[in-house]
Amino acid sequence: MVKLMKKAMKDNGWHKHSYLIDGFPRSLENFDAFKEVFGDSVDVKFTIFYECSFEVMEKRILERAKTSGRSDDNIEALKKRFDTYKT
């Protein structure tokens, strides 16, 4: 995933743009992979972190599921994501 992200950024004018990477990294393992692939070639300015309860996430995801068409907008996937986040 990280290598694909880097390729897409390079293909779109690596140094001509700033990038907002939504929903990534989801874990420390993801961040470590990002650092390994990108190294010093990017300057990460900041990270935005939103925290909310499981109940709020559940309500938002199940509402989004009504129109999103995403196969992972369900309670089982949400629980798995939340458990991954907590570890």
Side-chain angles (χ1 to χ4, degrees):
M1 157 111 176
V2 179
K3 289 179 182 177
L4 290 173
M5 187 185 317
K6 185 175 183 180
K7 181 182 180 325
M9 291 167 73
K10 280 187 169 189
D11 290 350
N12 285 293
W14 183 254
H15 296 289
K16 296 178 188 176
H17 305 285
S18 295
Y19 294 90
L20 171 64
I21 304 170
D22 182 27
F24 185 87
R26 290 189 180 189
S27 68
L28 187 54
E29 183 179 86
N30 285 165
F31 182 66
D32 290 341
F34 182 87
K35 287 191 307 185
E36 183 178 320
V37 170
F38 282 87
D40 292 332
S41 62
V42 296
D43 181 18
V44 177
K45 301 285 188 191
F46 58 88
T47 300
I48 300 172
F49 175 76
Y50 294 105
E51 186 172 359
C52 66
S53 68
F54 181 83
E55 292 76 19
V56 169
M57 283 192 297
E58 179 181 28
K59 181 179 176 183
R60 294 184 70 184
I61 294 293
L62 294 180
E63 184 63 32
R64 181 177 75 178
K66 293 176 183 176
T67 58
S68 72
R70 291 177 53 159
S71 62
D72 64 340
D73 276 354
N74 60 66
I75 195 66
E76 294 80 19
L78 176 59
K79 286 178 181 176
K80 184 177 179 182
R81 281 186 244 156
F82 195 73
D83 288 344
T84 299
Y85 163 74
K86 289 189 304 184
T87 58

